[in-house]
Amino acid sequence: EAGVAQSPRYKIIEKRQSVAFWCNPISGHATLYWYQQILGQGPKLLIQFQNNGVVDDSQLPKDRFSAERLKGVDSTLKIQPAKLEDSAVYLCASSFSQGARETQYFGPGTRLLVL
Amino acid sequence: AQSVTQLDSQVPVFEEAPVELRCNYSSSVSVYLFWYVQYPNQGLQLLLKYLSGSTLVKGINGFEAEFNKSQTSFHLRKPSVHISDTAEYFCAVSGVQGAQKLVFGQGTRLTINP
């Protein structure tokens, strides 16, 4: 079974530029998550989708971050404009359903450096 | 809301020695508890989880953890570590109702010395 795919793996941009990350979850997984992991910290949930609807985006900085999952499968996370403090690893995860008992499967992440 | 504190940011141990990684949580509701491992340049992988029942939970790679409700702890243990266990370990908590999100601790870097 293929795991969660993410691209690109690495991205370097200058502040005020825009960037987009892509995630393809495990086939059949209805729930998709985007996490931000700043160096030295644990992952922090940015947004959770159930199919193509948003379940939780309370920690998403909506003035600069946006995410979509139009067909309920793959997803894109965008930052526009980027700030220095956005330097982090962006992890995508998926689970079969949205219940708290469900195991979340993580992709390898996209490492973003904002200069 | 839930929170997690991992009491050690780094734990160095010698190969074949036992190890314990400490995790304490705070929550006003019943919780599920998780330990994830992150190898260099990889995503997180589930080691084990406590949902209900026996407080001693066994996971992959010889790890186990014990849920202690009175002390609000979920410490991870392994009786004999290997070089391949070198990684970052994250404890996480979620509430049991509905689509509760995972809240992660800061992580503990486990370094195994030969």
Side-chain angles (χ1 to χ4, degrees):
Chain A
E1 177 181 87
V4 177
Q6 290 188 247
S7 68
R9 291 295 311 276
Y10 304 92
K11 191 74 177 179
I12 300 174
I13 62 172
E14 295 188 349
K15 59 183 179 183
R16 291 188 289 275
Q17 286 186 323
S18 64
V19 64
F21 312 129
W22 174 83
C23 171
N24 190 29
I26 292 172
S27 178
H29 280 193
T31 311
L32 186 147
Y33 313 79
W34 283 103
Y35 289 87
Q36 180 192 57
Q37 185 179 15
I38 292 173
L39 187 65
Q41 299 181 21
K44 181 184 79 171
L45 181 69
L46 292 176
I47 189 167
Q48 177 183 344
F49 291 94
Q50 177 67 14
N51 296 311
N52 60 352
V54 175
V55 174
D56 184 349
D57 64 356
S58 57
Q59 297 189 103
L60 186 73
K62 299 180 186 63
D63 58 334
R64 298 183 301 105
F65 285 64
S66 64
E68 59 184 15
R69 193 184 184 200
L70 293 176
K71 296 183 179 180
V73 181
D74 56 354
S75 175
T76 303
L77 176 70
K78 296 180 182 177
I79 307 175
Q80 183 179 10
K83 292 185 175 181
L84 297 177
E85 59 261 36
D86 298 332
S87 294
V89 177
Y90 291 85
L91 295 165
C92 179
S94 69
S95 63
F96 182 73
S97 68
Q98 66 177 343
R101 303 171 64 96
E102 292 290 329
T103 296
Q104 295 185 27
Y105 296 86
F106 286 78
T110 295
R111 189 175 298 273
L112 173 67
L113 179 59
V114 182
L115 302 175
Chain B
Q2 291 80 41
S3 67
V4 175
T5 301
Q6 291 185 242
L7 298 162
D8 306 292
S9 59
Q10 295 187 60
V11 173
V13 295
F14 288 106
E15 194 172 16
E16 299 183 7
V19 69
E20 179 179 78
L21 306 183
R22 298 181 293 169
C23 171
N24 285 95
Y25 69 92
S26 174
S27 177
S28 57
V29 299
S30 297
V31 297
Y32 296 139
L33 292 156
F34 306 79
W35 275 99
Y36 280 84
V37 60
Q38 187 175 33
Y39 299 104
N41 297 316
Q42 295 186 28
L44 279 71
Q45 178 184 4
L46 181 69
L47 274 178
L48 49 78
K49 60 183 176 182
Y50 170 79
L51 302 179
S52 65
S54 173
T55 57
L56 183 62
V57 181
K58 294 190 182 298
I60 62 171
N61 301 340
F63 284 93
E64 64 181 31
E66 185 152 22
F67 170 55
N68 187 320
K69 188 174 182 179
S70 62
Q71 297 187 10
T72 61
S73 68
F74 191 55
H75 300 334
L76 181 71
R77 297 190 292 258
K78 186 171 183 178
S80 176
V81 295
H82 302 285
I83 291 286
S84 59
D85 293 322
T86 296
E88 190 92 18
Y89 291 79
F90 292 94
C91 181
V93 64
S94 73
V96 303
Q97 296 297 324
Q100 294 288 330
K101 65 185 179 186
L102 277 178
V103 175
F104 286 86
Q106 306 94 312
T108 297
R109 182 170 300 278
L110 177 62
T111 304
I112 311 300
N113 298 307

